[in-house]
Amino acid sequence: MTNQDPVAFPLNHLESMKAEWNRKHAEAAAEAERYKDLLDSASDIEEIAVLWQQLSEGPVSHHLFDASREHVHEQPATLDADKVLMLMGQEPDRLWKAKDVQTVFAHVALTEVRAFLNTMVGEGRLEVVRRSNRRLNFKIPYPTSA
């Protein structure tokens, strides 16, 4: 017979129980995190379903889409002769197309840009150069010596 005290608690069993409880706690925490991710995904799916429904009904109303629509409906940048000259002055030897000026100033109508540049040619502020592709190119006139 062993000489063990019947009242003494076996500590080695307590350590193994603590280890098991820590393992189960870690498993439960990982499972809780997985369910949290699933709930987040479910809310994303609900939002997508609502957007899909709105899309099938007509124009979508969503804060991201509304912001981009506001940008589209802004007034086009006004053309200013001094700004055009400053732009072209950055590269004075370059032949500028109306499309280049339209892109830089984010102007909507290419025909308006062409008309504006032709007006500047009429005022003597720009020179027009006709290339073989029949497109007009514009440049800053070189100063003439008197």
Side-chain angles (χ1 to χ4, degrees):
M1 284 199 137
T2 59
N3 203 2
Q4 283 189 342
D5 186 4
V7 182
F9 188 79
L11 290 179
N12 58 347
H13 292 300
L14 178 63
E15 291 303 319
S16 63
M17 287 189 324
K18 283 173 52 178
E20 178 67 15
W21 292 339
N22 279 330
R23 185 185 65 77
K24 288 190 179 237
H25 178 265
E27 286 176 2
E31 188 174 9
E33 187 64 30
R34 188 172 61 111
Y35 280 110
K36 182 183 175 295
D37 289 343
L38 288 173
L39 285 172
D40 290 344
S41 296
S43 66
D44 291 344
I45 291 170
E46 288 173 344
E47 184 176 355
I48 290 169
V50 168
L51 287 174
W52 186 263
Q53 182 64 32
Q54 288 177 348
L55 183 61
S56 66
E57 293 171 357
V60 177
S61 176
H62 189 269
H63 68 279
L64 294 176
F65 298 135
D66 293 340
S68 65
R69 283 190 189 120
E70 289 170 7
H71 180 69
V72 169
H73 295 300
E74 289 177 358
Q75 292 295 323
T78 57
L79 294 171
D80 181 282
D82 293 329
K83 289 181 182 177
V84 171
L85 290 173
M86 284 187 356
L87 171 69
M88 292 183 176
Q90 293 173 5
E91 296 180 60
D93 295 328
R94 176 179 172 180
L95 296 177
W96 292 82
K97 298 178 180 124
K99 182 74 174 168
D100 299 334
V101 175
Q102 177 195 24
T103 303
V104 169
F105 291 109
H107 202 279
V108 178
L110 184 59
T111 55
E112 290 179 21
V113 174
R114 284 187 184 126
F116 184 78
L117 294 175
N118 283 323
T119 301
M120 289 181 68
V121 169
E123 295 170 352
R125 299 180 87 178
L126 290 180
E127 285 182 8
V128 67
V129 178
R130 191 174 298 271
R131 301 297 288 212
S132 61
N133 62 1
R134 300 187 330 217
R135 295 272 183 206
L136 297 180
N137 293 306
F138 302 90
K139 69 176 192 165
I140 296 176
Y142 286 111
T144 57
S145 53

